């Protein structure tokens, strides 16, 4: 069966509802009225192969996208693969790696990622983001201070004079603490055969030029996964 044979299962309203996380500037840019970037291009390609139109809803953080999955508010999204999300969301094989790292002040004594997991240190992070989930499991001594979004975490870091802010490497430009594997996501409630067909189509797209060209157009240097 082709992907289009699963149209009703994957796009039950007759169009593909796509959640775009504008809080991740590597994957999506623009605003709610005119999103663009790799996520938008990949969603458009998948919608075309399904034989429907893509309709976008924009979010300012991954946590908002994940929460919306519980309300059946989208058919397709682009999220980091994480076990904490597996009860609600099915993931394709990852198609790109994005590095998570810390922002520190010029006068910070921390020179390496390991320097920041110490008692008394406070790290700002966007609530529910992939790096929040990762650091919640990995940090043993430092304290996590959560803001509503990744952008708000930078503000929190500055206003409260915290020791670091965690986020995507490209905007922060520093040493990394993890590699975040981004994947195409769909509600886990969709039929298994439909999910398999969708994720097989993602694999086919990964083998072609679309993703590389999309990230190049967005000016983002990333590691694509084949």
């Amino acid at each position: 069966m082709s992907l289009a044979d699963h149209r009703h299962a994957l796009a039950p309203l007759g169009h593909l509802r796509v959640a775009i996380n504008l809080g991740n500037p590597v994957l999506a840019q623009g605003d709610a009225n005119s999103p663009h970037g790799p996520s938008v291009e990949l969603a458009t390609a998948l919608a075309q192969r399904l034989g429907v139109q893509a309709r976008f809803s924009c979010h300012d953080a991954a946590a908002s996208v994940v929460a919306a999955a519980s309300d059946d508010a989208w058919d397709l999204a682009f999220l980091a693969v994480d076990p904490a999300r597996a009860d609600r969301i099915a993931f394709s094989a990852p198609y790109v790696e994005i590095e998570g790292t810390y922002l520190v002040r010029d006068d910070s004594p921390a020179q390496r990622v390991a320097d920041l997991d110490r008692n008394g240190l406070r790290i700002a992070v966007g609530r529910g983001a992939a790096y929040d989930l990762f650091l919640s499991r990995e940090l043993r001594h430092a304290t996590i201070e959560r803001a509503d979004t990744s952008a708000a975490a930078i503000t929190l870091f500055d206003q409260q004079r915290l020791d670091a802010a965690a986020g995507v490497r490209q905007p922060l430009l520093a040493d990394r603490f993890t590699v975040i594997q981004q994947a195409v996501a769909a509600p886990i409630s969709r039929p298994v055969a439909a999910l398999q067909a969708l994720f097989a189509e993602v694999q086919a797209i990964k083998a072609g030029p679309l993703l590389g060209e999309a990230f190049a157009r967005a000016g983002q240097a990333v590691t694509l996964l084949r």
Side-chain angles (χ1 to χ4, degrees):
M1 297 176 70
S2 70
L3 183 61
D5 293 321
H6 298 280
R7 182 183 300 121
H8 179 70
L10 295 172
L13 297 186
H15 56 270
L16 192 66
R17 300 172 299 161
V18 182
I20 297 294
N21 176 19
L22 292 175
N24 187 333
V26 178
L27 298 183
Q29 301 86 43
D31 56 34
N33 294 319
S34 183
H36 56 88
S39 291
V40 173
E41 293 194 40
L42 180 51
T44 300
L46 289 168
Q48 289 173 344
R49 297 179 189 203
L50 265 175
V52 298
Q53 289 189 334
R55 296 186 185 178
F56 301 102
S57 61
C58 293
H59 299 254
D60 58 5
S64 174
V65 177
V66 173
S70 300
D71 298 326
D72 191 27
W74 51 262
D75 305 310
L76 193 77
F78 304 89
L79 292 164
V81 180
D82 193 279
R85 298 168 173 169
D87 61 328
R88 287 167 283 178
I89 297 168
F91 294 97
S92 72
Y95 62 91
V96 67
E97 287 184 341
I98 298 175
E99 296 177 357
T101 192
Y102 292 121
L103 171 70
V104 298
R105 293 183 177 77
D106 289 339
D107 59 356
S108 172
Q111 297 298 312
R112 299 173 302 135
V113 163
D115 295 338
L116 286 162
D117 191 10
R118 296 183 178 178
N119 290 329
L121 298 188
R122 297 187 298 161
I123 298 171
V125 64
R127 183 179 291 106
Y131 27 91
D132 177 18
L133 301 178
F134 176 85
L135 292 175
S136 296
R137 292 190 295 266
E138 296 298 320
L139 290 180
R140 297 291 179 266
H141 306 289
T143 300
I144 296 175
E145 302 287 349
R146 293 177 175 86
D148 288 338
T149 67
S150 297
I154 304 299
T155 302
L156 183 67
F157 160 76
D158 184 51
Q159 291 179 341
Q160 296 194 13
R161 299 291 296 176
L162 302 183
D163 299 287
V168 174
R169 182 188 66 82
Q170 280 83 345
L172 300 183
L173 296 176
D175 185 20
R176 76 185 191 193
F177 59 75
T178 189
V179 173
I180 301 163
Q181 294 189 326
Q182 296 285 334
V184 173
I188 203 168
S189 58
R190 299 295 188 262
V192 172
L195 291 173
Q196 290 174 337
L198 173 65
F199 297 156
E201 200 67 38
V202 174
Q203 285 296 111
I205 290 174
K206 285 167 58 177
L210 186 150
L211 285 171
E213 293 173 354
F215 281 105
R217 278 189 287 271
Q220 301 294 333
V222 297
T223 300
L224 293 177
L225 301 174
R226 299 298 185 182

